[in-house]
Amino acid sequence: MKTISIVVPMFNEESNVEPFFAVLQQSLAAQAGQYDFEYLCINDGSRDATLDRLLALKRGGLAIKIINFSRNFGKEAALTAGLDFAQGDAVIPIDADLQHPPDKIPEMLRLWEQGHAVVQARRTDRRHETLRKRGFSHAFYRLASAIFEMPMERDVGDFRLMDRKVVDAIRNMREKSRFMKGIFVWPGFEAVVIEYDVAPRHQGQSSFGFWKLCRFAVDGITSFSILPLRLSTYLGLLVSLLAIGYGLYILCKTVLLGVDVPGYASLMIVVLFLAGVQLVGIGVLGEYVGKIYQEVKNRPIYVVRDVF
Ligand code: UDP
Ligand code: MG
């Protein structure tokens, strides 16, 4: 019998644990005889009773594996641990807040059986997400698919099915700055896309606020593209050309019409503009130097405290 690993990252999801597993088991009931399901929960340093709830479910007879982190490492690290520990022939990461509908899993399995190594799930109806988040994510996917060297499907999040071959490829990617949406796509393999409607969060609050999303977007882009570096070079060239033009103009003017002392405004504008451009350039450079710093430190991506 083939094993399917369901990987669930959990951070402060105490009130979602039971409802999630109830819905999950119900959705998979028809497949239960056909596959061995491995439920793998990663408790990402929750500060509430998530772990107790999981242990209670386990004591109640539900076969779940629990990876308990030593602190909060973030969703990307939790997913990484999930892929490291998963033993299934296919792996499906899914959110614990029921925003990813488990009843799409049978369809994913069907497509996998037809030979697709990856089944991506695209959010179609995002009406339950805030307008700001929708706008932000729309802009991000546009930008990402324009600059990444690999095709990134718009609105495809972490909810997907991956064959063992894909998971093994991903497990070899040990970079420290982990933008999973990109990492998932990088190995390639033929993918199909199915669609789903995003449900509202079952209980609790999203841990991705506006600033965290901004950070996440910058991280994602700088992890997968050096276009910002190249753009800052081009911007530097453009500004230098403008400066040469303006310099020649001032030179000619001074030679032909004599010294022109007033010029405070133009001086200030040029100085401030150049300083701004330089700071942006240094900032972009800094992002990448920071990335290199993180990589060379070579710290583990997560630390496991216990495995139940
Ligand atoms: N999550 C996690 N670690 C974190 C933040 C979130 O494991 O530091 C999990 C969370 O428990 C949930 C999933 O990642 O299962 C998605 O999180 P959330 O619902 O907060 O994000 P959103 O749906 O708003 O993108
Ligand atoms: Mg959510």
Side-chain angles (χ1 to χ4, degrees):
M1 209 149 60
K2 288 178 183 161
T3 307
I4 310 297
S5 304
I6 311 276
V7 167
V8 201
M10 293 189 169
F11 173 61
N12 293 347
E13 301 281 9
E14 57 177 5
S15 43
N16 288 328
V17 171
E18 280 123 28
F20 172 76
F21 276 103
V23 176
L24 183 65
Q25 281 189 296
Q26 200 186 355
S27 314
L28 299 181
Q31 264 74 27
Q34 224 175 323
Y35 298 105
D36 243 343
F37 286 103
E38 174 189 48
Y39 301 134
L40 199 57
C41 296
I42 296 90
N43 178 35
D44 184 13
S46 298
R47 288 181 276 273
D48 63 1
T50 303
L51 182 63
D52 301 335
R53 299 283 165 89
L54 284 171
L55 288 172
L57 276 183
K58 196 170 167 64
R59 273 193 302 273
L62 185 65
I64 37 180
K65 257 183 224 160
I66 306 164
I67 314 292
N68 191 29
F69 279 3
S70 58
R71 64 167 168 87
N72 179 252
F73 282 90
K75 183 181 179 187
E76 314 299 295
L79 286 174
T80 306
L83 296 192
D84 289 344
F85 281 85
Q87 282 166 349
D89 300 295
V91 179
I92 304 177
I94 184 170
D95 281 2
D97 55 6
L98 287 171
Q99 286 196 287
H100 296 161
D103 58 12
K104 288 284 167 193
I105 294 177
E107 191 183 338
M108 289 175 153
L109 291 172
R110 209 163 39 245
L111 287 164
W112 174 59
E113 292 287 4
Q114 286 171 13
H116 300 283
V118 176
V119 184
Q120 301 174 322
R122 171 187 291 144
R123 294 165 274 209
T124 46
D125 182 356
R126 306 186 66 164
R127 126 182 83 101
H128 295 296
E129 291 178 298
T130 60
L131 204 62
R132 192 171 69 179
K133 183 156 184 179
R134 262 185 289 167
F136 191 91
S137 131
H138 183 72
F140 175 76
Y141 280 101
R142 287 285 282 292
L143 187 67
S145 59
I147 68 176
F148 287 1
E149 276 132 31
M150 55 204 186
M152 209 165 110
E153 287 284 345
R154 125 193 90 83
D155 280 339
V156 170
D158 297 325
F159 186 34
R160 59 182 70 221
L161 177 147
M162 285 167 289
D163 186 80
R164 173 52 43 194
K165 284 181 287 199
V166 184
V167 175
D168 285 341
I170 292 172
R171 287 184 56 195
N172 282 326
M173 301 171 70
R174 301 315 288 179
E175 58 238 63
K176 311 298 161 199
S177 69
R178 298 195 71 80
F179 175 61
M180 290 312 273
K181 287 172 186 58
I183 288 179
F184 283 149
V185 212
W186 187 87
F189 291 95
E190 66 290 2
V192 273
V193 181
I194 61 168
E195 306 199 320
Y196 73 99
D197 295 343
V198 184
R201 208 170 205 289
H202 182 71
Q203 287 286 309
Q205 266 191 349
S206 167
S207 13
F208 291 88
F210 181 68
W211 290 113
K212 199 163 163 195
L213 278 181
C214 287
R215 183 69 253 163
F216 186 62
V218 171
D219 239 12
I221 286 168
T222 50
S223 306
F224 272 86
S225 165
I226 54 163
L227 191 71
L229 281 177
R230 212 165 286 150
L231 282 183
S232 87
T233 312
Y234 293 153
L235 184 67
L237 281 175
L238 180 73
V239 169
S240 307
L241 283 178
L242 290 176
I244 291 174
Y246 187 55
L248 284 176
Y249 163 73
I250 295 178
L251 188 72
C252 294
K253 210 174 124 199
T254 315
V255 169
L256 295 177
L257 305 173
V259 181
D260 169 22
V261 174
Y264 179 73
S266 55
L267 199 66
M268 277 310 269
I269 291 169
V270 168
V271 167
L272 291 178
F273 179 63
L274 288 184
V277 169
Q278 287 182 16
L279 283 180
V280 170
I282 295 173
V284 171
L285 203 60
E287 277 294 326
Y288 288 93
V289 175
K291 285 254 139 61
I292 298 170
Y293 177 56
Q294 305 249 311
E295 297 298 326
V296 296
K297 276 197 289 187
N298 205 20
R299 291 185 182 164
I301 298 164
Y302 54 84
V303 178
V304 174
R305 187 190 148 130
D306 341 77
V307 178
F308 300 100

